[in-house]
Amino acid sequence: MHRIFLNSIVLLVGLFAATASFADSSTAHDGVAPSAGNAAAAAAVEKKGFIADYDNIFIVKGGPEAKPTTEIKPLEWNWVDKLFYNPMGWINSFTDQLGPEVEQPIEFPHDRHAGDPGKVNPDGKTGDGINCMYCHTFARRSLTAGIPPLRKCIGCHQNIPSVRDTPRIVKLFEYWDAGKPIPWKKVHDLPDYVRFNHERHIQRFVFKQERPYKEVCGYCHGDVASMTVARRQRTLSMGFCVNCHKKNHSLDSTYTKAGHGPNDCFMCHK
Amino acid sequence: MSIANLLQNWSRYRDTHPYGGAKPHMGYKWAMAIDMDICTGCNACSVACYAENNLAVVGKEKFLNGKSMHWLRIERYWHDTPEPTDPLQLTAYTASGAGKHFPDQGAHFLPIMCQHCEAAPCETVCPVGATNHTQDGINSQIYNRCVGSRYCLVNCPYKVRYFNWYNYQDPATENVWPEPLNQQLNPDVTVRSKGVMEKCTFCVQRLRAVMVDARTEERLVREGEVQTACQQACMAGAISFGNMLNPDSRVGKQWIEQGVNIALDVQSKNEHVGDNTPKRGYRILENLRPYPSVMYLEQVRESSV
Amino acid sequence: MTLKIKDDKPFLRDTSKMLWDGEPAHAEVKDMSPHISFAQITSDVVNSLENPRPIYWWAIAVCVFMIAVGVACEVYQYRTGLGVSNKSNTNVWGVYIASFVFWVGVSHAGTLLSALLHLTHSDWRKSVFRYAEAMTTFALMTAGLFVLVHLGRMWQVYYVMPYPNERGVWSNFQSPLVWDMFVIGTYLTCSSIFLYTGMIPDLAVFRDNIHDGWRKKLYTFLAMGWQGTDRHWRNFRVAYLTLSVYLIILAVSGHSVVSSDFAMSQQPGFHITSFPPYFVVGALYSGNAALITVFIVLRFMFRYEQYLNMDVLRKLVRLTFALAMIWTYLHLIEMATVWYGHDTAARDQLYFKATGAYAGWWWLFNFLAIVCPWVMAFRRWQTNLPVQMVLSLLLNVGMWLERWMIVAPTLGHSHYPWTFDFDQWPSFVQWGILFASFGWFALLILIFCKVFPAVSMYELKELNYARKVEAHHALVGEPATKGAH
Amino acid sequence: MSKRHLLALFDSFDEAGEAILELRKAKFKGFDTDHDMIIKSPIEHPEFERVLGPKPVHVQWFPLFGSLVGCTFLFILVSGAQANFFEQLKGGKPIVPIPINLVITYALFMLSGVFFTVLGLFVCAGLPARRVPLYTSRVLDDQIGVLVKADEATLPAIKAIFTKHKAVEFQEEAGK
């Protein structure tokens, strides 16, 4: 009885924390002076409604039903780039771009969580089709995508008794009981001195262009929904970024602003 | 892409020079105005810059040796106007503190940082293209591209670039941030290693943060949404910074008010003799035509009132 | 060889006597004596590979020591940071860039002698041009080292090169430093090719005369099967002529581009239109002075007294004097344009040079580079080896100071008053690396002269043949016609 | 009839030249003076050109071709790189600055010219070359060698001409 009470409090706190983390999404960045503009900005955010509310998290814009999934295609190379201007990038596009296998404290099964519900995974179970941004909540509003806090895992797994005794979940609760965070290892480790911005990419491609999130996230991260432990799929080198930034990504035919990514060094290096 | 670039209109990818030409700065032109009548020379801006931008505190010895790293320096000029022959002006002259010795002598303070020139002399000479002009009018400095030829500093008329003569983050040689102090480093700003050039960036990490937010919300950055560290620290409010293209911005209004046009190297305000409104705005070394983005407002001297 | 001269007695080789006395000024010494036979030229040059004077090995040891000093300084600077060389944020360039310009300058004399004087059929150059051409290559290699030493992050120097890279980023083609990289790289490549191409017939002689060891393999490979057939010579003549035309243009454009490092900047004192010709002539001047130094050293070390003789030295000294006068004119003109110009910053800069922290060095350089060469105007000193040795070294010191005076005081007094109070005296690291550069250059020259023909055998034979024909006609009484072309 | 090589060594350029002239006048059957005679000498001797007959040199066309092609190629390449490098925003300067590119193009004009000159030398002069059958190191030292290739029957007559003009030494290929 005591334990159920405690757990329900934890669940409530967890839910509150998760909700709060969505609510404060328009907070200005550090170092920005508070101004009258921020309230208006927050209002604009509310009105636009491009940040999904908690209830509809599984069907945020850009979910699987938004548009038919297109294949994750490699970069397109024209012959001039191949021959003269970026032969190394072209050659690299043939080679194995897999990153090293990272050994995580808990082998988090991405396929079980994010996989297609209709598809059977190697372990005999189907995926749950959870949106990436359900756990990596910071991706749509900050530089980093963020690793979910432990309470987020517990928040769900508290209520899923069927898998409670599997070794990975046991380990998860061990961390929880010890009150320690899980020491996840970084998989997509960019080179130093470069600051990739998740927010702009997610906002533009998932929320503005309404592309499927699997395609958008998968462009750099690969088909994570079919992996257990995530592994780096692309070189994530500067040429990888630059080649994409040179392409035209106009939102539509009436969109007059530059269709390509920013060509400004100060955007990523500062 | 490349052949197409050659055949297409290249100006699609860049701005025309200088500001005010056929193409606007994609909605932004960051600029600054410093009112030296308000400036007290308290050095708070310089200290704020040290804190914000992870500047190395090199110590007295290296500072005197010319290896200082302050992106914003306060220059002090003593008032040494010759004594006027006209006795009527003598009172004002004495009041200004001119002609006296140290404690009573009048001083002028000039905070100077990278002027973010529209036609920056440093940009064209960098062999590796480490310093460029961004579309919003900032002179960028990319540390990981810099090879340290120091040509940009040679060509900078203001000498506001600072070279990393030592590895200030290396505990073995020059430990500027010993153990607990490294916690105060700003994570948004690269800690520079030896052999690269650095300079004022108009606190680009703050600018980019608000610009990203604004872009997400499909608007432009509002006036007052972003401040540079020096602006924030200036207790007197001598520094104004903002988007010059924004009609609400204080800095844009100041530039217009003072009759300083960023696209001119000789300001028309100097030619209107009949105009009685006092115009104090000027830019340093304008005649070299770098078209700097920082305007200074002259100190009002008692002798001229 | 059938000598059509009656009194064909062997030339006296009393080298010990000839060493420092020189030949009497009144003697009618030609640039090449007709009394030498072709075979003797071959044997003299081939022998120079084997038995240089003992001082050669001492010189090698000294050079290695000098390099060791510089390497130690560079390792210290590399590990600690450029700050140990004691430059400051106003005086950012200093000795390294000055030495870079100096060494690029030294390289120009070789091209002048080997290419320009080849086109003008100045036959006296034939004994000196080979080592001069080698000096070109080695001086450029030394200059390249200074670029590396100067860079803050030398391990990323490849960023300057425009190569198709994965990042899609290119070097900035608008920067004079990139032009430098292009032009100096081209100059180094082309002068090496020119040096090698001109050496092919001589390498074939070495191949035929040396019968074992690694050198035999080296010469066999490098000579490329040269056999002196008419087809070889015919094509060689045209190719060599074409190469020398290219080299002249390259040398002029090379130092012009180096000067644009300075002239293209806004710094008062650098921003001077007359810099390109000023630099090119200054380069020829200092290069010729260095040539005289090496002339005297090689003449002694490798017993080349018959070939590097007094007549050649006299012509070399006269050439140097002429260049010194042209340089003086350009130097004065440069100051005059600043003096009468409207640019107050540049004028202040000139005042600062003459009266500021570097005034002593500035006046010393003016004395060494303008007044000292007048010694060369006197015939009696022109062939005096000790005088020329000291003088050529002094001129080189003066011309190095000239480059240093372009770099250091100028940066110490810019547009902006903030820069005015810093005068940086270079630390031992800068001096050590400069010291080592001379050792490095000398070592390369010494090794070259021991391994490759330091004087051109086939050109000497051509000269010798021409002189023989002249002597024959003088004897027989026929009108002298041109022997070799 | 089998052909054989004969190398005659001379001490004097004049004698060698006269011997060649006489050979050309003699017009032996099966002996083409333009192709079957090679002069080897330690120095370049333009007087031989007169007695050897017209022998055109084509080296000079190589640098012309090389320079033009090289500089055009580089100009296009550099301009393309500049246009492609759209990250580079230089305040107030055009993306493809013509005068500046000319400086770089000029350097490559000469570099490719020099490379092609050497290439031309190697192609035209036939370098790197194999040793021909008869060779003595003295032709690079102080003697002039005349190497002829002729029918066995005509060789004695040629040899007689050489002897007449004071050839100091003969080398003959062994009969096959």
Side-chain angles (χ1 to χ4, degrees):
Chain A
M1 191 64 201
H2 171 73
R3 189 179 172 83
I4 291 170
F5 176 70
L6 202 68
N7 282 353
S8 57
I9 288 178
V10 167
L11 183 65
L12 276 173
V13 170
L15 279 175
F16 177 75
T19 325
S21 66
F22 287 109
D24 66 355
S25 59
S26 64
T27 309
H29 287 248
D30 289 349
V32 178
S35 71
N38 270 352
V45 172
E46 292 298 322
K47 196 176 70 201
K48 282 259 178 192
F50 60 89
I51 288 176
D53 51 339
Y54 181 73
D55 294 336
N56 296 327
I57 186 67
F58 286 99
I59 49 163
V60 286
K61 267 194 208 170
E65 55 283 307
K67 270 186 183 176
T69 311
T70 53
E71 244 180 281
I72 301 168
K73 276 187 286 187
L75 291 173
E76 289 163 18
W77 297 89
N78 64 20
W79 65 272
V80 184
D81 276 348
K82 282 179 204 167
L83 270 181
F84 298 115
Y85 296 117
N86 204 343
M88 289 316 294
W90 179 52
I91 290 162
N92 283 353
S93 70
F94 290 119
T95 56
D96 184 14
Q97 301 179 9
L98 272 182
E101 269 195 71
V102 183
E103 207 168 306
Q104 299 287 6
I106 296 175
E107 285 174 14
F108 181 82
H110 277 99
D111 51 355
R112 184 77 184 87
H113 291 83
D116 192 1
K119 204 179 122 197
V120 181
N121 289 328
D123 59 355
K125 290 169 182 165
T126 56
D128 283 341
I130 302 175
N131 192 309
C132 304
M133 284 175 283
Y134 179 67
C135 296
H136 301 285
T137 55
F138 294 95
R140 80 192 76 162
R141 57 206 162 94
S142 83
L143 254 61
T144 52
I147 300 289
L150 182 51
R151 63 168 185 259
K152 191 149 211 165
C153 311
I154 299 294
C156 289
H157 279 278
Q158 195 80 43
N159 299 335
I160 312 174
S162 59
V163 293
R164 182 65 183 79
D165 294 333
T166 55
R168 289 192 286 230
I169 305 298
V170 168
K171 212 171 174 186
L172 180 75
F173 275 92
E174 273 171 20
Y175 278 108
W176 177 251
D177 293 336
K180 279 182 186 164
I182 306 172
W184 299 111
K185 301 269 170 47
K186 198 161 187 177
V187 176
H188 293 88
D189 194 7
L190 285 183
D192 296 346
Y193 312 115
V194 59
R195 284 152 219 274
F196 176 79
N197 192 335
H198 279 87
E199 177 187 357
R200 280 307 303 149
H201 292 87
I202 299 290
Q203 290 291 349
R204 183 180 186 101
F205 294 109
V206 177
F207 295 111
K208 287 276 172 350
Q209 280 196 333
E210 301 191 348
R211 293 199 193 198
Y213 68 88
K214 275 190 182 171
E215 181 198 330
V216 175
C217 302
Y219 193 86
C220 304
H221 293 283
D223 192 9
V224 180
S226 66
M227 297 178 233
T228 47
V229 175
R231 190 174 175 186
R232 186 160 63 74
Q233 302 291 308
R234 303 291 189 130
T235 50
L236 302 185
S237 58
M238 182 165 161
F240 181 75
C241 299
V242 166
N243 269 307
C244 202
H245 274 227
K246 279 179 184 172
K247 288 204 262 178
N248 198 359
H249 301 295
S250 280
L251 286 176
D252 50 49
S253 55
T254 58
Y255 200 78
T256 50
K257 286 279 172 61
H260 58 80
N263 57 1
D264 169 1
C265 311
F266 250 175
M267 208 50 97
C268 306
H269 307 285
K270 42 198 167 218
Chain B
M1 185 70 191
S2 43
I3 292 284
N5 278 6
L6 267 176
L7 301 176
Q8 278 171 2
N9 180 12
W10 303 322
S11 62
R12 194 158 75 81
Y13 297 103
R14 66 188 307 112
D15 256 318
T16 49
H17 154 78
Y19 151 74
K23 283 197 75 181
H25 277 81
M26 310 297 280
Y28 293 105
K29 166 63 202 152
W30 300 107
M32 197 175 253
I34 300 178
D35 193 338
M36 295 196 307
D37 202 30
I38 311 179
C39 174
T40 62
C42 72
N43 273 297
C45 46
S46 191
V47 174
C49 186
Y50 267 89
E52 169 73 17
N53 289 310
N54 300 340
L55 303 189
V57 182
V58 297
K60 189 176 177 182
E61 189 190 331
K62 289 202 182 71
F63 197 97
L64 288 175
N65 206 347
K67 296 184 174 69
S68 49
M69 301 301 287
H70 45 11
W71 286 1
L72 197 165
R73 60 175 191 251
I74 307 278
E75 292 178 355
R76 185 186 58 193
Y77 296 99
W78 293 113
H79 194 294
D80 59 347
T81 325
E83 194 172 333
T85 46
D86 185 0
L88 290 175
Q89 290 177 6
L90 200 62
T91 327
Y93 172 76
T94 330
S96 71
K100 292 180 183 173
H101 291 294
F102 163 57
D104 304 321
Q105 191 186 22
H108 299 271
F109 300 104
L110 179 69
I112 184 161
M113 75 294 283
C114 175
Q115 307 284 307
H116 293 273
C117 311
E118 280 294 289
C122 55
E123 285 168 11
T124 45
V125 297
C126 175
V128 294
T131 178
N132 293 299
H133 218 68
T134 65
Q135 285 179 337
D136 46 351
I138 298 178
N139 178 243
S140 67
Q141 173 70 27
I142 310 304
Y143 310 119
N144 44 334
R145 180 72 180 166
C146 180
V147 294
S149 75
R150 310 195 281 292
Y151 200 175
C152 51
L153 179 48
V154 166
N155 214 19
C156 176
Y158 309 97
K159 304 290 174 206
V160 284
R161 294 176 152 262
Y162 301 94
F163 188 69
N164 279 278
W165 296 104
Y166 295 95
N167 205 1
Y168 293 110
Q169 52 176 334
D170 182 9
T173 53
E174 308 281 324
N175 203 0
V176 170
W177 297 285
E179 194 42 63
L181 279 182
N182 57 6
Q183 302 291 324
Q184 58 100 29
L185 291 172
N186 187 348
D188 289 340
V189 180
T190 309
V191 182
R192 281 78 59 185
S193 61
K194 73 178 171 190
V196 302
M197 192 60 83
E198 61 183 63
K199 66 169 191 71
C200 165
T201 59
F202 271 173
C203 286
V204 70
Q205 67 280 6
R206 297 179 173 203
L207 290 183
R208 288 295 180 255
V210 290
M211 282 167 77
V212 160
D213 279 0
R215 190 79 193 268
T216 302
E217 295 163 18
E218 292 192 325
R219 60 174 173 86
L220 291 176
V221 172
R222 298 185 182 85
E223 169 68 2
E225 203 174 346
V226 61
Q227 285 184 319
T228 59
C230 49
Q231 183 191 11
Q232 201 177 4
C234 184
M235 48 148 194
I239 302 175
S240 51
F241 171 81
N243 180 9
M244 225 168 121
L245 302 185
N246 187 349
D248 299 335
S249 70
R250 184 182 165 204
V251 63
K253 282 177 188 160
Q254 272 177 314
W255 278 65
I256 295 167
E257 198 178 286
Q258 298 298 335
V260 178
N261 188 345
I262 196 172
L264 297 178
D265 59 324
V266 177
Q267 300 300 335
S268 55
K269 67 170 179 123
N270 300 333
E271 293 161 9
H272 293 287
V273 186
D275 197 355
N276 282 332
T277 49
K279 300 242 170 98
R280 304 186 286 133
Y282 71 96
R283 291 186 295 173
I284 302 172
L285 293 176
E286 217 171 21
N287 55 330
L288 295 176
R289 295 184 194 166
Y291 304 100
S293 305
V294 179
M295 180 186 71
Y296 289 87
L297 290 124
E298 219 178 321
Q299 191 174 13
V300 181
R301 295 194 178 83
E302 292 183 37
S303 53
S304 64
V305 173
Chain C
M1 192 73 211
T2 307
L3 281 170
K4 296 180 176 176
I5 300 166
K6 295 290 186 303
D7 49 337
D8 184 16
K9 59 187 174 189
F11 193 82
L12 286 172
R13 279 196 90 204
D14 190 357
T15 47
S16 59
K17 191 163 179 293
M18 284 168 54
L19 185 57
W20 284 108
D21 299 345
E23 288 162 32
H26 56 79
E28 286 298 325
V29 188
K30 275 288 189 180
D31 44 15
M32 185 73 190
S33 164
H35 300 283
I36 305 171
S37 68
F38 277 19
Q40 196 191 345
I41 293 173
T42 306
S43 71
D44 278 354
V45 178
V46 172
N47 284 340
S48 76
L49 301 185
E50 296 303 330
N51 58 344
R53 290 181 201 271
I55 196 173
Y56 176 83
W57 301 106
W58 287 106
I60 292 273
V62 169
C63 288
V64 170
F65 167 73
M66 287 164 87
I67 294 170
V69 169
V71 168
C73 288
E74 172 54 26
V75 167
Y76 175 53
Q77 176 181 291
Y78 180 88
R79 292 176 64 90
T80 321
L82 265 172
V84 294
S85 65
N86 199 20
K87 293 174 198 154
S88 74
N89 280 332
T90 52
N91 216 328
V92 283
W93 278 357
V95 166
Y96 299 150
I97 288 294
S99 308
F100 166 74
V101 179
F102 174 78
W103 282 115
V104 175
V106 166
S107 75
H108 277 60
T111 314
L112 172 81
L113 272 157
S114 58
L116 187 62
L117 297 188
H118 176 63
L119 286 187
T120 57
H121 293 297
S122 304
D123 285 344
W124 63 269
R125 81 183 237 292
K126 288 186 176 182
S127 51
V128 276
F129 86 94
R130 173 64 51 72
Y131 79 80
E133 186 58 35
M135 276 171 71
T136 300
T137 309
F138 299 142
L140 285 171
M141 285 162 71
T142 318
L145 288 186
F146 273 103
V147 173
L148 285 182
V149 169
H150 151 82
L151 282 186
R153 303 205 295 170
M154 69 153 92
W155 51 94
Q156 268 162 350
V157 66
Y158 62 90
Y159 279 177
V160 185
M161 291 166 198
Y163 65 102
N165 54 32
E166 198 269 344
R167 300 177 293 279
V169 179
W170 296 84
S171 50
N172 176 15
F173 297 104
Q174 302 186 3
S175 167
L177 291 187
V178 172
W179 311 348
D180 254 17
M181 192 271 303
F182 268 95
V183 171
I184 300 297
T186 304
Y187 190 20
L188 176 58
T189 316
C190 294
S191 67
S192 319
I193 289 174
F194 188 51
L195 174 65
Y196 166 65
T197 311
M199 223 157 47
I200 290 177
D202 288 352
L203 288 170
V205 174
F206 277 14
R207 173 199 64 200
D208 291 345
N209 284 286
I210 287 169
H211 299 293
D212 50 355
W214 59 274
R215 285 177 173 177
K216 172 76 176 172
K217 286 176 190 159
L218 180 73
Y219 300 139
T220 310
F221 174 71
L222 289 179
M224 294 236 178
W226 178 274
Q227 290 154 44
T229 63
D230 55 328
R231 183 185 173 198
H232 286 172
W233 281 117
R234 211 167 33 238
N235 290 293
F236 180 82
R237 182 184 67 216
V238 179
Y240 196 68
L241 203 67
T242 317
L243 285 181
S244 52
V245 173
Y246 275 116
L247 257 279
I248 292 164
I249 311 170
L250 205 46
V252 173
S253 78
H255 223 47
S256 303
V257 166
V258 170
S259 81
S260 67
D261 283 358
F262 300 97
M264 293 276 167
S265 79
Q266 287 202 347
Q267 182 80 13
F270 284 173
H271 189 63
I272 294 170
T273 326
S274 66
F275 258 20
Y278 176 58
F279 268 52
V280 171
V281 174
L284 295 174
Y285 172 25
S286 69
N288 260 290
L291 219 55
I292 294 172
T293 315
V294 180
F295 182 97
I296 296 167
V297 171
L298 287 189
R299 174 189 155 92
F300 174 63
M301 216 174 249
F302 291 98
R303 304 182 171 95
Y304 281 143
E305 286 88 352
Q306 291 175 64
Y307 311 115
L308 306 181
N309 61 23
M310 286 305 158
D311 186 57
V312 177
L313 179 63
R314 168 165 292 142
K315 280 164 178 155
L316 211 51
V317 167
R318 283 176 180 170
L319 181 65
T320 312
F321 178 67
L323 288 167
M325 290 304 105
I326 301 173
W327 177 85
T328 307
Y329 168 74
L330 285 166
H331 178 54
L332 296 177
I333 278 294
E334 181 216 322
M335 288 197 283
T337 42
V338 171
W339 185 266
Y340 291 111
H342 267 301
D343 190 351
T344 48
R347 207 186 300 169
D348 287 352
Q349 165 62 47
L350 189 60
Y351 286 147
F352 177 74
K353 273 181 186 162
T355 59
Y358 293 89
W361 296 104
W362 194 77
W363 288 109
L364 177 65
F365 127 65
N366 274 317
F367 173 76
L368 289 177
I370 296 177
V371 181
C372 282
W374 280 95
V375 176
M376 290 177 164
F378 296 96
R379 193 178 166 84
R380 80 167 59 181
W381 300 115
Q382 277 171 355
T383 51
N384 189 317
L385 289 175
V387 168
Q388 289 305 327
M389 184 77 184
V390 172
L391 190 62
S392 61
L393 287 174
L394 282 182
L395 292 187
N396 264 312
V397 170
M399 286 311 282
W400 184 85
L401 280 175
E402 186 244 337
R403 273 61 177 251
W404 195 45
M405 285 299 110
I406 287 176
V407 175
T410 310
L411 289 171
H413 195 93
S414 171
H415 281 293
Y416 208 73
W418 186 69
T419 60
F420 287 177
D421 291 337
F422 296 104
D423 55 315
Q424 299 287 326
W425 183 249
S427 75
F428 72 93
V429 174
Q430 295 197 41
W431 295 124
I433 290 172
L434 174 65
F435 183 64
S437 74
F438 287 96
W440 163 254
F441 175 73
L443 183 70
L444 288 175
I445 287 281
L446 289 176
I447 291 176
F448 174 85
C449 294
K450 180 90 164 54
V451 177
F452 294 105
V455 297
S456 169
M457 281 180 273
Y458 77 91
E459 295 233 28
L460 277 183
K461 285 173 186 171
E462 283 173 8
L463 184 61
N464 178 256
Y465 184 73
R467 294 288 170 260
K468 274 174 180 155
V469 171
E470 273 174 25
H472 171 70
H473 286 309
L475 218 64
V476 178
E478 287 171 16
T481 54
K482 215 162 170 44
H485 66 279
Chain D
M1 257 184 138
S2 66
K3 297 223 172 191
R4 282 171 65 187
H5 285 97
L6 171 71
L7 176 69
L9 293 177
F10 293 84
D11 263 349
S12 160
F13 280 105
D14 299 347
E15 298 289 0
E18 280 159 24
I20 294 161
L21 262 184
E22 197 167 334
L23 268 182
R24 281 171 65 85
K25 276 178 199 154
K27 286 184 183 153
F28 291 110
K29 188 169 170 274
F31 176 66
D32 183 3
T33 44
D34 286 345
H35 296 102
D36 295 342
M37 185 164 64
I38 295 172
I39 318 295
K40 297 184 179 184
S41 57
I43 63 174
E44 187 204 343
H45 199 72
E47 279 80 353
F48 281 141
E49 301 288 318
R50 270 176 253 146
V51 293
L52 275 177
K55 298 249 177 177
V57 179
H58 300 297
V59 179
Q60 66 271 29
W61 298 106
F62 283 78
L64 179 70
F65 172 79
S67 284
L68 292 180
V69 167
C71 76
T72 315
F73 179 72
L74 187 93
F75 188 84
I76 293 170
L77 206 66
V78 165
S79 310
Q82 285 162 333
N84 211 28
F85 182 15
F86 80 137
E87 292 79 9
Q88 194 182 24
L89 294 162
K90 293 270 165 276
K93 299 291 186 293
I95 284 189
V96 181
I98 303 296
I100 282 163
N101 285 8
L102 285 179
V103 174
I104 302 167
T105 308
Y106 191 53
L108 254 285
F109 178 87
M110 288 172 285
L111 182 65
S112 54
V114 165
F115 275 133
F116 271 76
T117 310
V118 176
L119 182 75
L121 170 65
F122 285 0
V123 169
C124 294
L127 293 173
R130 285 168 172 273
R131 276 298 159 87
V132 289
L134 293 175
Y135 179 76
T136 168
S137 67
R138 298 205 60 185
V139 294
L140 290 184
D141 195 356
D142 59 355
Q143 286 187 330
I144 297 100
V146 180
L147 179 71
V148 292
K149 190 172 118 186
D151 295 341
E152 274 180 71
T154 40
L155 269 184
I158 295 173
K159 202 170 175 178
I161 293 177
F162 286 153
T163 320
K164 186 179 139 199
H165 289 286
K166 297 175 189 168
V168 287
E169 199 184 323
F170 289 103
Q171 284 188 13
E172 265 179 279
E173 204 178 15
K176 281 171 190 165

